[in-house]
Amino acid sequence: MCIRDRVSTQSTGHELIGMAPFGRLMLLLLIPALAASARLSASADANGGIWIELDGRPWLVADEVQVAGLSKLNGSLSLLGVPGQREGTDQLGSYITIDMTWGRSDSNATLMTTSVRSYLSDPSTLVFEQQFPQQLGPDKAAATLSARSIFPGFRRPSVATQDRDCFAYHGVFPSINACMLSTYQESHQGGAPLVVYDSSNSSLPMTVFSALNYPKAQHMASDANFFGAGVKATVELIPAGWSQLFILTGASGINDGFMTW
């Protein structure tokens, strides 16, 4: 499905096959797969914004990307070319991607490529990737945020009617802190997993967002316009070929949502 002339991914509901990272396979073995999973879909507009729907309803918009001190929102970082699509396979199964390439607005040099994966075997899951084709050294601009790269960077709600409840884990011994999408802020020791849910809907549609690989290399980040995630700001060198992954899963109900995640 393509909405508003956007490149979109589409998946069909089949049983998940393959090993999931961070012990999720063990969780699936211990708890029967009875979670009320939902369908997540993603589409890209011509400017590189990602529009996410949960069971056909608008859910999140990821329209900020940052790398090397440059930002899509302030115009210093640009989409090079147009969003593309490809097919692939990883440990979660076969997927379709939306691929984008980013560079300086005054140059064609690629600084970061990004993708969103939608899985044929698990329509409740989206995976976001940041990939760095060239080495990136120390970044002075990284001191302003908790992460030196951002993708996805989710838009803050512009009006109160679009705001949603959320909670996230913070601290060395994690505790749950309540928030709204308009007020969410990461902490030195946390901010993820980040759970977003619709408290006005009795079925509690929800998503869980977290790192999928290299958890110690990533961090959540936010400012007045967005919240998202990327490579930790204290990382001084990102080697060529580095890939950072983040996962978003959808479900109905908080308990079932954590089982799906």
Side-chain angles (χ1 to χ4, degrees):
M1 177 179 66
C2 188
I3 302 173
R4 303 177 191 170
D5 296 324
R6 300 195 296 258
V7 177
S8 65
T9 60
Q10 188 171 349
S11 59
T12 57
H14 301 295
E15 187 176 356
L16 176 65
I17 300 173
M19 179 174 291
F22 300 140
R24 291 175 64 201
L25 179 62
M26 182 175 67
L27 179 65
L28 292 175
L29 290 174
L30 294 175
I31 303 175
L34 299 177
S37 61
R39 181 178 294 273
L40 282 170
S41 62
S43 56
D45 61 34
N47 296 316
I50 301 295
W51 300 71
I52 298 169
E53 294 185 347
L54 178 62
D55 284 335
R57 297 185 299 270
W59 191 252
L60 293 168
V61 180
D63 58 359
E64 174 64 316
V65 182
Q66 293 188 18
V67 65
L70 307 174
S71 163
K72 174 179 178 291
L73 288 182
N74 71 18
S76 58
L77 184 70
S78 293
L79 177 66
L80 304 181
V82 297
Q85 283 187 317
R86 62 184 170 86
E87 297 180 356
T89 303
D90 62 17
Q91 289 178 306
L92 297 180
S94 299
Y95 59 76
I96 302 172
T97 69
I98 299 171
D99 294 325
M100 290 173 285
T101 302
W102 302 92
R104 295 181 183 275
S105 297
D106 57 357
S107 171
N108 288 324
T110 299
L111 293 173
M112 182 170 72
T113 61
T114 61
S115 68
V116 185
R117 302 177 188 176
S118 177
Y119 290 85
L120 301 176
S121 58
D122 187 357
S124 68
T125 297
L126 296 174
V127 169
F128 301 84
E129 180 181 25
Q130 306 175 13
Q131 201 272 341
F132 303 88
Q134 60 178 294
Q135 177 177 298
L136 296 180
D139 184 356
K140 294 181 180 179
T144 61
L145 291 174
S146 298
R148 59 176 294 178
S149 63
I150 297 293
F151 182 80
F154 298 111
R155 180 190 299 173
R156 299 275 194 189
S158 57
V159 295
T161 55
Q162 296 174 344
D163 213 354
R164 289 196 175 92
D165 292 279
C166 59
F167 62 84
Y169 289 79
H170 297 264
V172 178
F173 298 98
S175 61
I176 297 176
N177 290 356
C179 55
M180 302 293 290
L181 290 187
S182 59
T183 63
Y184 167 83
Q185 186 173 5
E186 76 286 352
S187 61
H188 175 67
Q189 290 286 354
L194 171 62
V195 176
V196 178
Y197 63 100
D198 184 356
S199 61
S200 67
N201 188 323
S202 60
S203 68
L204 285 180
M206 60 87 77
T207 53
V208 183
F209 179 76
S210 71
L212 184 58
N213 69 344
Y214 304 115
K216 292 186 177 181
Q218 62 80 41
H219 209 287
M220 297 290 288
S222 63
D223 68 9
N225 299 309
F226 79 92
F227 60 94
V231 176
K232 190 177 297 187
T234 53
V235 172
E236 295 187 354
L237 186 146
I238 302 177
W242 183 265
S243 172
Q244 195 76 40
L245 301 175
F246 300 90
I247 187 169
L248 182 73
T249 58
S252 294
I254 302 301
N255 290 336
D256 285 343
F258 273 102
M259 288 173 63
T260 298
W261 174 65

